[in-house]
Amino acid sequence: MSVKAIREHTGKSLLQKLLPEYSGGKHTYACPGVLVNPDVLDKTSSNTWGAIVDANPWLKEQNLVAKPDQLIKRRGKAGLIAVNKTFDEAKAWVMERMCKEQKVEEVTGQLTHFLIEPFVPHKQEEEFYICIHSLRYHDEILFYHEGGVDVGDVDAKAERLQIPTGEDPSATVVVEKLLSKVPADKQGNLSSFVLSLYKFYKDLHFAYLEINPLVMLSDNSVVPLDMAAKIDETAVFLCAQKWGEIDYPPPFGRAAYPEEALIREMDGKTGASLKLTILNERGRVWTMVAGGGASVVYADTVADYGWGGELANYGEYSGAPSTEETFVYAKTLLSLMLRYKHPEGKFLIIGGGIANFTDVAATFTGLIQALQHYADDIKEHKIKIWIRRAGPNYLEGLRKVKAAGEKLGLGLKVYGPETHITAVIPMALGLSEPLPEPDLSAPCGPPERKLLKVSGTAAATAKEVSPATKHTLVTATADTTCIVYGLQNRAVQGMLDFDFMCKRKKPSVEAMVFPFSGNHYVKFYWGTEETLMPVYTTTKEASEKHPNASVFVNFASFRSVYETSMDAMGLSTIKTVAIIAEGVPEQQTREIIKTAEAKGIGIIGPATVGGIKPGCLRLGNTGGMLDNIVMSRLYRPGSVAYVSKSGGMSNELNNMICRCSDGVCEGVAIGGDRYPGSRFLDHFLRYQDDPNAKFLLLLGEVGGTDEYDLIEAVKSGRITKPVVAWCVGTCASCFTTEVQFGHAGAQSRGDTETAAAKNKAMKEAGFHVPDSFDKLPALITKVYTELVEAGTIVETPEGETPQVPMDYTWAKKLGMVRKPASFISSISDDRGEELKYCGVPITEVFQQEMGIGGVLSLLWFRRQLPTECMKFIEMILIVTADHGPAVSGAHNTIVTARAGKDLVSALCSGLLTIGPRFGGALDDAAKMFADAYDSGVSPKDFIDKMKKTNQLIMGIGHRIKSLANPDQRVVIIKEYAKKHFKSTPILDFALQVEQLTTKKRANLILNVDGCIAVSFIDMIRSCGAFSREECDDLQSFGCLNGLFVLGRSIGFIGHYLDQLRLKQPLYRHPWDDITYIQELAGQS
């Protein structure tokens, strides 16, 4: 999610729709034109030229302008605008170019979308230039009194008006600052348009809007002739209704692939982050990288080693994608790789940063499925696969994929966190000797660091430094505590485990805030002991109850993070706010920054994983799982303080620093948005004034200018400590088109914002800058060694590694412990990608149209019964659904409903009447008839035996029905059983009994309960799905009564709803329907 360019037609359509609203009706824009796409080449489409003209008759009523609408700059100079043409001329001009290759400057691409709009006759002096764009602290309007293709360098000569965040300019200011060279008679109307345009820009969350030329005609109407615009896509939840459907086209010169659309669609439906951009479909080097920052680093390293021309794709899969999502992503990538052969083969590099919470083994299961799918093709295309991965359960993931690779004969090479993140790239490309693959029998532990031998006793000469200044961001201590917004139990437990490992005296989290469930407590572990954490509904109450908590860790979603952060900053006790959410609209971020700086509050984020100060404080999920905390020795302070844009890369820096020095002093991921709440300089000034930070590390990226502030601080002498630095995004120079990298801010808006320019400037300023990110570990080692030898850093022996108890859930997942389950369930499973009924996915239940009978067979009988059996079950439910309001169950339900009770209470009232006298005869009838038949007794002897023992024959008898007047329910059940079941011996036996009992009395027929019971026993015995023992068990378990309960519940609920619909009052039984007996017992 980021700032994205939109088509000119989209921008003009929005202006046409909303300009009257923002100008109070003073300004209108008549026609934004019509967009023509390749559908016009298809005579069967609904978007032919004829259909376009029918929908836009003005096309034949006036002269037109035609031009490509594909984010092409300087179309006029490229001869790509047809002006003052008739419709037929414009159509011919478009058709000559539609789907044809076109070179524009250095980029060649296919023309596929054209804008046709009315031609507006005007004079040159009626043209103006206007541009609105956003910066960290203000929006800026650039205006020039001349416009058109020859306007020249507007940056140098335009008038400028800076509008502070959250403010609106007046007409007077607009005239004074921007329109001084515009004729006086036009200033009023033009200033009104500028103000309306700014409201439009601001309310619809534009990030850039340029109109050149903007024409003001003699009648004072204003018309935008040419427009370029970018919208903050993250504001979709605020602006979706006003925006409508927005098409975000790819940059000109890069085709839109259906595979990209597939991944984009998946990304929109998941909480994970899935991105894919095809750069060169014939390229030899393909990457599958987890993490936004890591994806850029991998692309950089490929380019830095001279393979940029062969880099085929850019993308990421991160944020804990499911097994299925990883499978689809990997399968899509492999299908693209296999599209073209290369005689020398190809490379697939699978990697990523050390994950915070993604289960690597789960994602690799999806990867293995994709490798199995394409194994033969992979070998045929000579694709070499190199893997480097780390994070939760990484060892199991590497084991699985290594074993699968050996079984499939793919020759995979796998590495873990013992190698740094990009080490596999030069090995894969044959540029360095492959390192031995790690032993996968045990996880990678912390490095065994030997103290450096120091020659001499020379102490470092301290440089003269500027005096320390007051910092907005407060450096954490071992006493700093937090309030966490959101029920982020895993993150809070991770913070507490870190505290315990660091030997803090008390937990760093004092309280949590969750507005939706009332004040309560949540249980956490402090070491092995349990402790209770208070949860409040408001941040204000939490702050009042815990005034010492100075840090607010905000896990609110991007939709509510603005309000919750502003609320927190209104409290005097809060000094630092960490905003974890990604996708926060830039306008909201800028307002947060403005408020924070006015109040002297430090901000980390948005889009941050947090920060970590070993021995003191961990914010959120920074540092990952506990095993990574131990591996990177983050439980005790080191000498290196770093700042990273990327949260995922901060784990890699922790690992890298630990292996190349004595460890991390402090680390912060400021977030990858264009306007991070705090900048590099804010943190580096703190580090400069912290005597424990001996040297500093910066991981910047393409886009923005914050690195230059740091350069000035070094040049001015404000920062004197050694700085090792690298800006990622150097691969951008290899791309002929603009690429949006993983972070919203990772996009250059000028030559000085490129990674290469910033790396060069930092090197010239005295920073330690490697030639490539891949060389960063060696440079850290070199600088650290020099500082130790100079006496700036005094090494100490490594202490004992602390132990923290592992959570049972995670230990069980790793296969380290086992425990008998409290419950066993064999009928359903909700743990996977979708719900399963007895192993059958819910989607398959619908695809096979099993119906309620099929669902019941799966959940009750743990198997899928034949179709005729599933239909019979549904018939039972239908015929037992209701038997009128007079029966005891329905009566009870109605009385309870009329007493004002809820549905469940009324239903239970009716169900509790079911028993031997009402509805409960099914099980007894089944047992009686089945036992009699199985014993071989004749129907007459069975009747005689029941008579002698004074037992009623269950399932025989009806109040009014007889053989001459049969119960139609019995007829339906009986006929279905005879027609569809292989045999019906129990039903036949019961019918023989009926012939005898009806001779005594006509209404002693086989009733519906009896018919259902005996037919059901015949069904389960004859369908072939059950053994005889299983049939007897089902009979004894009471499932027949269960069918009656299930069916009759339908009717009971119907009676409940009926009484409410009829608004029936409280029921009171009438006196005249009660016989009152006054005598005492025993009196005659």
Side-chain angles (χ1 to χ4, degrees):
M1 302 288 277
S2 59
V3 167
K4 288 190 173 181
I6 60 175
R7 296 193 191 277
E8 180 177 2
H9 180 256
T10 303
K12 287 183 172 179
S13 296
L14 288 172
L15 194 63
Q16 178 202 31
K17 180 171 71 172
L18 297 168
L19 182 59
E21 174 185 335
Y22 292 112
S23 65
K26 187 172 181 180
H27 300 283
T28 59
Y29 174 40
C31 182
V34 63
L35 191 66
V36 180
N37 61 37
D39 285 352
V40 297
L41 302 177
D42 181 4
K43 295 180 180 179
T44 64
S45 79
S46 59
N47 199 27
T48 61
W49 282 109
I52 291 172
V53 172
D54 289 343
N56 303 275
W58 53 266
L59 286 167
K60 290 197 170 184
E61 296 169 358
Q62 54 192 302
N63 281 5
L64 306 168
V65 173
K67 52 190 171 182
D69 192 359
Q70 295 177 235
L71 313 184
I72 301 173
K73 298 177 181 177
R74 294 175 284 279
R75 290 170 294 188
K77 290 189 175 181
L80 288 176
I81 300 180
V83 180
N84 199 14
K85 303 293 184 183
T86 65
F87 171 74
D88 290 334
E89 290 171 336
K91 175 183 173 182
W93 188 87
V94 169
M95 292 298 284
E96 284 175 14
R97 292 160 178 78
M98 179 65 77
C99 294
K100 303 288 175 55
E101 293 286 329
Q102 174 74 42
K103 185 172 183 180
V104 180
E105 297 179 348
E106 301 300 318
V107 180
T108 300
Q110 194 177 75
L111 298 176
T112 57
H113 289 72
F114 291 83
L115 174 61
I116 301 178
E117 57 187 354
F119 171 67
V120 180
H122 63 279
K123 301 174 183 177
Q124 178 67 38
E125 58 267 24
E126 293 175 332
E127 292 187 349
F128 304 98
Y129 172 93
I130 188 169
C131 175
I132 311 175
H133 66 120
S134 298
L135 299 166
R136 182 179 179 86
Y137 295 111
H138 58 264
D139 293 327
E140 186 173 52
I141 303 178
L142 281 73
F143 183 88
Y144 193 59
H145 61 282
E146 297 174 2
V149 293
D150 297 319
V151 67
D153 185 2
V154 290
D155 283 338
K157 58 187 182 182
E159 306 291 341
R160 296 172 183 264
L161 171 59
Q162 293 184 351
I163 307 163
T165 300
E167 298 182 15
D168 292 304
S170 66
T172 303
V173 170
V174 169
V175 171
E176 179 185 333
K177 294 288 187 179
L178 299 178
L179 308 182
S180 59
K181 297 179 182 178
V182 174
D185 60 332
K186 293 186 176 183
Q187 288 181 349
N189 199 53
L190 196 54
S191 66
S192 171
F193 178 82
V194 170
L195 290 173
S196 303
L197 187 68
Y198 181 66
K199 289 178 184 177
F200 168 81
Y201 173 94
K202 189 175 175 182
D203 196 51
L204 268 66
H205 286 257
F206 279 82
Y208 180 86
L209 178 60
E210 180 186 56
I211 301 175
N212 179 36
L214 175 71
V215 170
M216 188 171 185
L217 301 173
S218 57
D219 62 357
N220 271 354
S221 61
V222 182
V223 184
L225 294 193
D226 199 274
M227 177 187 288
K230 294 181 179 181
I231 271 182
D232 181 3
E233 189 190 16
T234 61
V236 64
F237 71 98
L238 296 170
C239 302
Q241 188 171 0
K242 288 187 176 180
W243 285 353
E245 290 292 328
I246 290 187
D247 171 28
Y248 297 106
F252 178 70
R254 184 168 61 76
Y257 287 78
E259 290 83 0
E260 293 176 338
L262 170 67
I263 300 303
R264 188 162 54 248
E265 182 182 357
M266 277 178 51
D267 182 57
K269 296 178 180 178
T270 177
S273 179
L274 303 169
K275 305 288 187 292
L276 178 63
T277 300
I278 310 303
L279 304 172
N280 174 10
E281 63 178 350
R282 295 179 181 271
R284 294 182 62 197
V285 182
W286 294 74
T287 63
M288 180 174 165
V289 185
S295 61
V296 187
V297 165
Y298 270 72
D300 279 355
T301 305
V302 171
D304 292 341
Y305 278 113
W307 284 70
E310 294 288 353
L311 186 61
N313 71 302
Y314 168 78
E316 64 167 300
Y317 74 109
S318 53
S322 67
T323 297
E324 177 65 19
E325 288 163 350
T326 308
F327 166 65
V328 173
Y329 189 94
K331 184 181 173 185
T332 303
L333 206 59
L334 286 168
S335 70
L336 288 162
M337 285 190 77
L338 297 168
R339 188 166 293 174
Y340 302 102
K341 277 187 178 181
H342 192 283
E344 298 178 53
K346 297 181 180 181
F347 306 95
L348 174 58
I349 301 172
I350 300 169
I354 299 173
N356 277 324
F357 50 83
T358 298
D359 185 339
V360 175
T363 59
F364 270 21
T365 301
L367 169 63
I368 291 167
Q369 292 172 0
L371 294 176
Q372 291 169 337
H373 187 82
Y374 284 117
D376 293 338
D377 295 316
I378 290 170
K379 287 182 279 189
E380 181 184 341
H381 284 250
K382 297 187 286 188
I383 295 174
K384 297 176 182 176
I385 302 175
W386 292 70
I387 300 174
R388 188 274 185 184
R389 198 69 174 97
N393 214 7
Y394 84 90
L395 195 64
E396 182 65 16
L398 292 183
R399 283 181 191 145
K400 284 183 176 180
V401 77
K402 182 66 176 177
E406 290 176 351
K407 183 178 179 180
L408 298 170
L410 299 180
L412 277 63
K413 299 289 186 182
V414 301
Y415 298 88
E418 72 287 337
T419 60
H420 73 82
I421 183 170
T422 56
V424 293
I425 295 176
M427 292 191 288
L429 301 178
L431 303 174
S432 67
E433 285 296 317
L435 295 170
E437 292 181 75
D439 175 14
L440 299 178
S441 61
C444 174
E448 294 183 9
R449 186 173 59 86
K450 295 181 180 179
L451 300 183
L452 296 172
K453 294 181 180 180
V454 180
S455 58
T457 57
T461 304
K463 293 184 180 179
E464 199 173 301
V465 299
S466 301
T469 56
K470 182 180 179 182
H471 303 290
T472 302
L473 283 149
V474 179
T475 299
T477 70
D479 296 318
T480 302
T481 56
C482 312
I483 293 172
V484 173
Y485 186 95
L487 280 183
Q488 293 288 327
N489 293 4
R490 179 169 60 178
V492 171
Q493 185 62 66
M495 292 172 70
L496 267 57
D497 287 340
F498 175 82
D499 300 338
F500 187 80
M501 187 184 289
C502 294
K503 297 181 172 56
R504 275 185 60 128
K505 294 180 180 179
K506 62 178 182 179
S508 60
V509 182
E510 290 199 31
M512 301 169 71
V513 178
F514 189 68
F516 307 110
S517 60
N519 289 3
H520 63 284
Y521 288 87
V522 177
K523 189 165 59 176
F524 290 100
Y525 285 104
W526 178 248
T528 56
E529 302 297 322
E530 291 183 320
T531 184
L532 292 176
M533 180 81 64
V535 181
Y536 302 94
T537 56
T538 67
T539 306
K540 182 179 180 182
E541 183 180 3
S543 179
E544 289 172 349
K545 297 283 180 64
H546 304 273
N548 293 324
S550 60
V551 179
F552 183 69
V553 184
N554 193 350
F555 279 98
S557 74
F558 63 86
R559 295 175 183 273
S560 58
V561 74
Y562 172 75
E563 291 80 8
T564 51
S565 297
M566 295 296 273
D567 286 346
M569 289 191 293
L571 304 171
S572 60
T573 57
I574 300 300
K575 303 302 178 187
T576 300
V577 175
I579 301 174
I580 308 301
E582 294 186 41
V584 182
E586 290 185 350
Q587 277 192 34
Q588 293 187 343
T589 299
R590 292 161 61 214
E591 290 181 24
I592 288 172
I593 291 170
K594 180 179 180 179
T595 301
E597 294 191 358
K599 293 177 175 289
I601 294 173
I603 300 289
I604 301 173
T608 181
V609 73
I612 194 163
K613 188 169 175 59
C616 294
L617 183 67
R618 172 191 188 184
L619 296 181
N621 293 306
T622 314
M625 299 284 286
L626 282 183
D627 53 357
N628 189 59
I629 297 287
V630 172
M631 184 183 72
S632 300
R633 298 200 188 279
L634 295 173
Y635 51 82
R636 52 92 178 130
S639 301
V640 183
Y642 73 83
V643 182
S644 168
K645 274 269 197 177
S646 166
M649 287 303 296
S650 65
N651 282 352
E652 284 300 332
L653 292 179
N654 293 331
N655 183 44
M656 191 183 294
I657 291 168
C658 177
R659 295 179 183 279
C660 300
S661 71
D662 63 354
V664 174
C665 172
E666 183 176 347
V668 175
I670 61 173
D673 285 358
R674 290 209 301 171
Y675 309 116
S678 53
R679 296 169 297 173
F680 295 131
L681 184 62
D682 299 324
H683 295 280
F684 273 79
L685 290 176
R686 284 195 304 112
Y687 296 162
Q688 173 67 32
D689 297 337
D690 182 353
N692 297 313
K694 303 301 182 182
F695 83 93
L696 317 180
L697 176 62
L698 166 70
L699 188 65
E701 66 183 19
V702 60
T705 58
D706 289 350
E707 289 87 351
Y708 291 99
D709 295 334
L710 198 57
I711 290 171
E712 289 304 313
V714 170
K715 286 181 175 179
S716 68
R718 178 62 184 90
I719 293 178
T720 59
K721 293 178 179 179
V723 182
V724 176
W726 179 255
C727 279
V728 304
T730 53
C731 61
S733 60
C734 299
F735 308 148
T736 55
T737 62
E738 188 178 73
V739 173
Q740 173 66 58
F741 292 108
H743 295 147
Q747 191 176 54
S748 172
R749 289 179 285 182
D751 291 342
T752 59
E753 294 191 16
T754 64
K758 290 194 274 191
N759 285 330
K760 182 175 182 291
M762 289 190 294
K763 196 165 192 174
E764 290 172 350
F767 290 56
H768 299 272
V769 180
D771 296 329
S772 164
F773 178 87
D774 194 50
K775 305 291 179 61
L776 187 59
L779 187 57
I780 293 172
T781 300
K782 177 177 179 293
V783 174
Y784 175 77
T785 301
E786 290 172 354
L787 292 174
V788 171
E789 290 177 346
T792 303
I793 297 175
V794 179
E795 294 189 304
T796 57
E798 194 63 59
E800 183 181 353
T801 302
Q803 299 294 321
V804 171
M806 183 180 291
D807 283 348
Y808 171 78
T809 304
W810 185 246
K812 184 180 179 184
K813 192 167 189 176
L814 295 179
M816 299 175 66
V817 295
R818 60 188 181 190
K819 167 183 172 289
S822 301
F823 285 94
I824 298 175
S825 175
S826 63
I827 64 170
S828 64
D829 189 346
D830 62 339
R831 297 170 300 173
E833 295 300 310
E834 60 177 311
L835 177 65
K836 292 181 179 179
Y837 292 158
C838 199
V840 180
I842 191 68
T843 51
E844 194 174 322
V845 171
F846 283 97
Q847 288 166 0
Q848 295 187 22
E849 298 183 348
M850 291 185 186
I852 195 66
V855 171
L856 190 145
S857 72
L858 292 173
L859 295 178
W860 286 26
F861 309 132
R862 296 189 62 244
R863 65 207 68 196
Q864 186 174 344
L865 297 180
T867 303
E868 65 271 14
C869 298
M870 295 190 292
K871 175 67 176 175
F872 182 68
I873 290 172
E874 293 180 358
M875 288 175 64
I876 293 174
L877 299 179
I878 292 170
V879 299
T880 60
D882 196 48
H883 202 205
V887 297
S888 59
H891 178 84
N892 265 25
T893 301
I894 291 169
V895 171
T896 308
R898 292 176 61 169
K901 298 289 285 185
D902 61 276
L903 185 148
V904 174
S905 299
L907 176 61
C908 289
S909 175
L911 292 175
L912 288 173
T913 65
I914 297 175
R917 297 184 181 180
F918 168 61
L922 279 81
D923 280 326
D924 290 341
K927 179 173 175 53
M928 282 185 178
F929 282 111
D931 288 351
Y933 173 79
D934 293 339
S935 68
V937 68
S938 69
K940 183 179 183 304
D941 290 341
F942 169 64
I943 295 171
D944 292 343
K945 178 184 176 184
M946 299 302 289
K947 184 177 180 181
K948 286 178 182 178
T949 55
N950 291 321
Q951 292 186 69
L952 294 174
I953 301 176
M954 293 298 182
I956 292 291
H958 196 281
R959 190 168 60 88
I960 58 173
K961 295 296 182 180
S962 64
L963 289 177
N965 178 27
D967 185 341
Q968 289 303 311
R969 297 177 298 171
V970 174
V971 173
I972 293 168
I973 295 293
K974 182 170 59 176
E975 289 179 352
Y976 186 89
K978 285 288 188 182
K979 182 178 179 180
H980 293 95
F981 298 163
K982 293 179 181 178
S983 62
T984 57
I986 313 297
L987 174 59
D988 295 341
F989 182 83
L991 292 174
Q992 293 173 35
V993 170
E994 180 187 51
Q995 290 298 317
L996 298 172
T997 54
T998 51
K999 289 179 180 179
K1000 180 179 179 182
R1001 194 161 58 237
N1003 68 337
L1004 292 179
I1005 61 169
L1006 181 66
N1007 60 32
V1008 68
D1009 290 352
C1011 189
I1012 289 172
V1014 295
S1015 299
F1016 181 82
I1017 298 300
D1018 282 335
M1019 180 194 79
I1020 62 175
R1021 286 187 178 186
S1022 66
C1023 70
F1026 304 97
S1027 67
R1028 178 57 184 271
E1029 182 181 2
E1030 288 175 322
C1031 292
D1032 293 343
D1033 284 342
L1034 289 174
Q1035 179 184 316
S1036 66
F1037 290 164
C1039 62
L1040 271 164
N1041 277 358
L1043 285 170
F1044 181 84
V1045 168
L1046 181 60
R1048 192 50 60 93
S1049 293
I1050 299 171
F1052 289 168
I1053 293 172
H1055 285 297
Y1056 172 85
L1057 297 174
D1058 188 49
Q1059 296 302 304
L1060 265 62
R1061 182 167 48 248
L1062 298 173
K1063 296 181 172 57
Q1064 292 299 288
L1066 177 68
Y1067 175 80
R1068 181 180 177 87
H1069 202 72
W1071 290 338
D1072 60 6
D1073 194 33
I1074 302 172
T1075 298
Y1076 290 91
I1077 300 174
Q1078 301 297 316
E1079 292 89 356
L1080 294 173
Q1083 289 183 349
S1084 58

